[in-house]
Amino acid sequence: MVGTLHLAGSLLIFADGEDGRKGFVLAPAQLVFAVLVVLALVVAALLPRWRRDRPAPTPGRRAAPAPLRVGILVYAGHATAGLVPGWAGIGVRTALTAGVVALVVGWSRRAGWDQRHVLAAWSAGLLSAASFAYALPHTAP
């Protein structure tokens, strides 16, 4: 359902010829890449999920951090990665993303990780995008 709405919105934007998008056509390599990415995501979504029960925290085993800590870490990764311009910014963003992903994946294997942690991690990117959109100057209509 969401994919259908996204496709309909994209077609509506593509059909609008008043802002210079009329006549835009993807290069064959771009089209092939986009189709392959979509197919890979669909296949990944259809794969069966193997879930393991998380063991209860034991005195010798470390528990997952609080969901707020996870959200703050991911938000900080998003917020600081957008501050460096140019190619250096791409390198910084790649390194920060890899570090944050490695840390969150490690934390997710600990006892006590639940849906609140997942929500905190995923919503941090949305909050970061919203805060940057609010802080940046708006363009004139």
Side-chain angles (χ1 to χ4, degrees), residues 24-33:
F24 172 75
V25 180
L26 288 175
Q30 290 173 318
L31 182 62
V32 168
F33 180 75

Side-chain angles (χ1 to χ4, degrees), residues 80-103:
T80 56
L83 297 177
V84 181
W87 285 104
I90 293 173
V92 169
R93 180 177 290 271
T94 302
L96 278 174
T97 301
V100 168
V101 166
L103 192 57

Side-chain angles (χ1 to χ4, degrees), residues 25-132:
V25 180
L26 288 175
Q30 290 173 318
L31 182 62
V32 168
F33 180 75
V35 169
L36 289 177
V37 167
V38 168
L39 288 176
L41 291 172
V42 168
V43 168
L46 294 176
L47 288 175
R49 297 180 184 179
W50 293 277
R51 297 184 187 260
R52 293 179 292 176
D53 291 333
R54 303 256 185 233
T58 58
R61 187 168 178 199
R62 296 175 64 183
L68 184 61
R69 179 183 251 181
V70 174
I72 290 172
L73 172 80
V74 175
Y75 181 87
H78 278 287
T80 56
L83 297 177
V84 181
W87 285 104
I90 293 173
V92 169
R93 180 177 290 271
T94 302
L96 278 174
T97 301
V100 168
V101 166
L103 192 57
V104 170
V105 167
W107 282 347
S108 71
R109 297 183 189 281
R110 292 183 180 180
W113 184 271
D114 59 9
Q115 292 299 315
R116 295 177 304 147
H117 293 84
V118 175
L119 177 64
W122 280 104
S123 62
L126 179 62
L127 290 174
S128 173
S131 61
F132 270 96

